[in-house]
Amino acid sequence: MKKDKFIIQGLGNNNFLSGKIRVNGAKNAVLPVMASSVLFKDGFGVKNVPFIEDLNRLDEILKGLGIEMKKEKEGEYFINTKGINGVEIDEEASKRMRASVIFTGPILARFGELVFPHPGGCVIGARPIDLFLDGFEKMGAKIEHSDGKYSIKAKDGRLKGANIFFKIPSVTATETFIMAGILAEGKTTLKNVAIEPEIISLIEWLNSCGAKIKGVGTPVLEIEGGVLLEAGDKIYETIADRLETGSFLILGALCASDLEIYNCNPAHLEIITEMLKDSGVDMQVGKDFIKVNNKNLKNYKAFNIKTHEYPGFPTDLQSPMTVFLTQAQGESLIFETIFEGRLNYTSDLVKMGADIKMWDAHRVTVKGPNQLKGRELEGPDIRTGFAFVIASLVAEKESVITNVYYIDRGYGSIEKRLSGIGADIKRVEN
Ligand code: EPU
């Protein structure tokens, strides 16, 4: 694993960023769509693919299954499923990317068997896979666990349609069982599903290729199991990354004299735009762009955050927004309800000069504003890695961010894109 660093010169309220920044395709949309290739009898093209580290992990998993991911040009790939034969998810890739678990549904549904290790990924909490294992058992599969690997076999070689109620509306579990249901025998009903835009986009893609999924956008989905999907000449166009959009918006609200964030879909992050507007951030929200500046920076008002499944406040933007709140007037309560390890980074913000008190693993209060000071930081996950980039730019003096691998997992060529709007950020390769 690469151990690159970023060296960032803080703006310290003396200089500001300006210009335009393009939002890439959504990582969390492209991963399940590429995994859906296991359900296809032919191949298909994918456009607006972000160039991120997770794409390399995805390629490793697809290769292990006999599927080829061919780059046609920048941002465009063709997924060739002609050689598909594997039933095992690549161990190394799986340990580095939790989303590898999405492959379990399509592989088990297509081949009736599956081998995979317990997935790893960002250090944000325990991240169990009980919802997956329970669901497969409901679909008639038998699970064995030894030497750190799960070995799962469908009864008589084919999953059976089932009624599955998710105790938690998990994003990847919803995606996994939608895909499992497509090749299962009979009807699968999924209740209390997640409704993130990436899931809606996946369902629309699958339905356009022959899947029969009803209830899109509601908490209950019905899937009629059937035959392999066929793309014909259809191409999947990756939706804009709402988490990247939100990250840039928070950056702009703190550090930009004027910033245009384009190629995005602001309709997917209304909770963020509403909260920032109420706090006093000057912005103009268009259909596919947001213009933002920090002219009211000195008067931003504090507010509380409670993370929630979509369309509530996304846990992924909790850490960037906490950085924002260190610069707002008053006290904020941050209540992280989804992951129990996703507030640990706040101790680093305290070392930078923020006034943050942790009450328990799920709650901190932030009192602002406080001038942050540059220091050495280690990114524990994708989003907090970017939150540290924002904090470093807000701060006075230099910061060094290690473990840049995590930022690279979700934000493609970020140092180049931020340099393009005036940030002094350099990558030191290691
Ligand atoms: N959970 C269980 N059991 C399970 C699965 C999940 O208890 O079997 C719990 C989790 O521990 C968590 C909650 O359910 O407390 C919700 O987690 P979820 O399963 O929805 O998370 P995920 O599907 O693993 C996706 C995104 C994450 C994002 C979360 C929450 C992808 C590939 N990943 O993860 O994105 O934080 O949903 O919205 O879609 C990121 O992009 O940086 C990232 C981490």
Side-chain angles (χ1 to χ4, degrees), residues 1 25 45 57 61 81 88 101 122 208 217 239 267 294 389 392-393:
M1 195 160 103
R57 303 293 82 71
I61 296 173
T81 60
E88 182 158 355
V101 73
C122 287
S208 75
I239 58 171
N294 68 352
V389 171
S392 304
L393 285 167

Side-chain angles (χ1 to χ4, degrees), residues 139 161-162 174-190 193 203 207 211-215 220-226:
M139 296 182 93
T174 300
E175 293 164 341
T176 300
F177 285 93
I178 289 171
M179 294 196 272
I182 287 175
L183 293 185
E185 197 182 318
K187 189 166 97 175
T188 296
T189 305
L190 305 178
V193 298
I203 297 177
N207 275 347
K212 295 191 185 89
I213 306 161
K214 282 199 223 145
V220 180
L221 294 173
E222 280 182 6
I223 304 143
E224 204 54 61

Side-chain angles (χ1 to χ4, degrees), residues 178-414:
I178 289 171
M179 294 196 272
I182 287 175
L183 293 185
E185 197 182 318
K187 189 166 97 175
T188 296
T189 305
L190 305 178
K191 294 180 183 157
N192 197 27
V193 298
I195 53 165
E196 268 64 3
E198 295 77 22
I199 299 175
I200 309 299
S201 179
L202 172 71
I203 297 177
E204 285 168 353
W205 162 246
L206 296 169
N207 275 347
S208 75
C209 297
K212 295 191 185 89
I213 306 161
K214 282 199 223 145
V216 50
T218 76
V220 180
L221 294 173
E222 280 182 6
I223 304 143
E224 204 54 61
V227 287
L228 289 172
L229 302 180
E230 195 170 355
D233 53 10
K234 286 186 202 72
I235 292 174
Y236 175 76
E237 175 93 34
T238 312
I239 58 171
D241 196 321
R242 67 192 160 95
L243 304 172
E244 204 177 73
T245 310
S247 306
F248 294 161
L249 181 56
I250 293 166
L251 174 69
L254 293 173
C255 299
S257 54
D258 70 287
L259 180 68
E260 180 175 336
I261 302 157
Y262 68 101
N263 197 43
C264 60
N265 185 354
H268 287 165
L269 66 160
E270 273 183 276
I271 184 123
I272 304 293
T273 50
E274 287 303 306
M275 280 181 160
L276 290 177
K277 271 188 206 158
D278 286 352
S279 171
V281 176
D282 184 49
M283 70 174 93
Q284 187 196 337
V285 180
K287 197 167 168 287
D288 56 3
F289 70 87
I290 305 177
K291 289 182 183 169
V292 61
N293 67 72
N294 68 352
K295 75 171 189 218
N296 298 331
L297 178 61
K298 297 260 178 314
N299 299 311
Y300 289 163
K301 288 195 292 274
F303 53 87
N304 298 336
I305 300 176
K306 181 179 175 196
T307 63
H308 195 278
E309 295 81 19
Y310 187 84
F313 191 99
T315 169
D316 300 283
L317 291 177
Q318 177 262 105
S319 47
M321 195 61 101
T322 300
V323 175
F324 175 88
L325 292 168
T326 66
Q327 303 307 303
Q329 306 273 346
E331 186 170 294
S332 314
L333 170 69
I334 322 276
F335 185 11
E336 169 57 61
T337 66
I338 315 273
F339 294 110
E340 69 283 7
R342 228 176 191 183
L343 283 172
N344 294 339
Y345 70 90
T346 52
S347 57
D348 282 296
L349 294 184
V350 170
K351 288 181 196 147
M352 292 180 86
D355 183 351
I356 302 180
K357 186 165 163 48
M358 185 173 247
W359 299 93
D360 59 45
H362 288 278
R363 289 176 309 151
V364 297
T365 42
V366 182
K367 274 192 200 145
N370 277 97
Q371 177 60 57
L372 304 182
K373 291 181 189 56
R375 56 174 285 121
E376 184 161 330
L377 301 153
E378 184 180 324
D381 69 80
I382 302 176
R383 309 297 160 191
T384 300
F386 194 80
F388 284 167
V389 171
I390 301 177
S392 304
L393 285 167
V394 168
E396 285 170 339
K397 306 217 170 105
E398 183 176 283
S399 291
V400 177
I401 303 183
T402 59
N403 223 2
V404 160
Y405 170 78
Y406 275 116
I407 303 176
D408 291 338
R409 282 191 52 197
Y411 298 85
S413 311
I414 198 63

